[in-house]
Amino acid sequence: MPKTARLLPGVPVAEAVFADITRRVAALRERGVTPSLATILVGDDDASAGYIRIKQRQARQLGFDSPHRHLPAYATQHDLLDVIAGLNADPDVHGVLLQYPIPDHLDYDAALLALHPDKDVDGLHPLNMGRLALGLPGPLPCTPAGIEALLTHHQISVAGREVVILGRGATIGRPLAILLAQKRPTANAAVTVVHTGVPDWSRHTRRADILVAAAGVPDIIQPEHVRPGAVVIGAGVRYAGRRLLPDVDEACATVASAITPRVGGVGPTTVAMLFRNAVTAAEHATT
């Protein structure tokens, strides 16, 4: 049993993806195309506004246009759908990000459904989830795609190994299970999805070669839930104010062979995949 697990940072993974995106953006600009990622923010939540600023800054660094639409917290569903319709119809906008969460009186799922699937940089539109399930081309959900990229970058073999995902959410658990089970060199795993409604869920996590925590329950994964020598990926988090509360207790590093850091693990790869979806959308829209 290793005393301290090898860390699996996401920053070098993101940097490699951004280097590829920069090359692709330059090729688009040589053809007179400026890729564009539009953002929509509803309300004045400080954390959400901060995330938008980070994404806009990254967009500028990569050579994207980043038009922004900011609606007040009292905006109606019609107001939001009208903004989405305008961005759908704009040929100079290749990708659209609706920052989540939105105010409680608005229907996020209806807004997502109204977004053109090919401009959905989060990869969460129902049509894109269907494409994923059928193995058809389309934007991939960002966190699952980032996890696959992270494992590949750090040369952790997935094919033929047992992956257990704790969490069945639509943004991570379910799409990640589909993604890692697909027949590709960087996937092709035996995948089990469990959740906190499963009695003795740790019976499943303790047999995993690769354990992905995506429950959104702080510190739910303790050392006794991890098979010695396993790889542990922390994907689920909650926030207490600005304080990050990850699913994986840091003590798991005494049991695992490799583990994502508390900060700077899956997060940077998620952002990188968002921009990869955006540049791909720009390429498809202009060829």
Side-chain angles (χ1 to χ4, degrees):
M1 183 187 304
K3 292 182 179 180
T4 303
R6 172 168 68 104
L7 287 181
L8 305 174
V11 171
V13 186
E15 288 175 345
V17 173
F18 288 144
D20 177 64
I21 291 171
T22 299
R23 176 188 59 78
R24 294 163 67 181
V25 168
L28 284 167
R29 284 180 170 272
E30 286 179 3
R31 295 197 285 110
V33 176
T34 301
S36 174
L37 172 60
T39 54
I40 305 172
L41 176 65
V42 186
D44 298 298
D45 179 77
D46 287 343
S48 292
Y51 297 144
I52 289 290
R53 286 193 295 271
I54 290 169
K55 289 160 187 172
Q56 288 179 318
R57 183 168 61 248
Q58 186 68 66
R60 289 191 296 271
Q61 291 173 354
L62 293 171
F64 282 75
D65 278 347
S66 56
H68 180 58
R69 304 290 185 269
H70 186 187
L71 293 173
Y74 56 79
T76 66
Q77 188 76 16
H78 175 78
D79 294 333
L80 178 56
L81 295 179
D82 189 55
V83 167
I84 291 172
L87 295 173
N88 282 344
D90 188 342
D92 292 328
V93 171
H94 306 115
V96 179
L97 169 70
L98 173 58
Q99 183 64 44
Y100 182 86
I102 59 178
D104 290 342
H105 69 280
L106 298 177
D107 187 335
Y108 176 82
D109 291 334
L112 181 62
L113 188 61
L115 180 62
H116 193 296
D118 291 342
K119 295 190 177 188
D120 164 36
V121 293
D122 275 326
L124 298 176
H125 188 284
L127 179 59
N128 290 327
M129 295 291 273
R131 286 168 166 169
L132 170 63
L134 294 173
L136 299 176
L140 295 174
C142 295
T143 300
I147 290 171
E148 183 180 8
L150 185 145
L151 291 168
T152 301
H153 180 92
H154 290 290
Q155 299 182 326
I156 294 172
S157 177
V158 175
R161 303 184 76 187
E162 182 150 15
V163 175
V164 176
I165 303 167
L166 178 63
R168 56 182 169 179
T171 58
I172 304 178
R174 276 178 278 168
L176 180 62
I178 296 170
L179 193 64
L180 293 185
Q182 290 176 343
K183 193 173 182 179
R184 293 192 318 281
T186 57
N188 209 32
V191 183
T192 300
V193 178
V194 294
H195 49 84
T196 54
V198 174
D200 194 19
W201 53 261
S202 60
R203 174 171 58 89
H204 301 278
T205 65
R206 283 194 298 267
R207 71 167 193 265
D209 298 312
I210 300 170
L211 171 59
V212 181
V217 179
D219 292 333
I220 188 171
I221 298 295
Q222 296 290 322
E224 62 266 26
H225 303 140
V226 179
R227 182 180 66 77
V231 174
V232 179
I233 306 295
V237 296
R238 284 194 181 179
Y239 287 88
R242 292 184 174 272
R243 184 166 170 249
L244 184 90
L245 303 175
D247 281 8
V248 179
D249 188 280
E250 290 180 286
C252 292
T254 64
V255 180
S257 63
I259 193 168
T260 50
R262 180 178 177 275
V263 177
V266 170
T269 68
T270 297
V271 175
M273 294 302 115
L274 184 146
F275 282 97
R276 189 174 73 175
N277 283 341
V279 75
T280 300
E283 291 167 342
H284 289 171
T286 58
T287 55

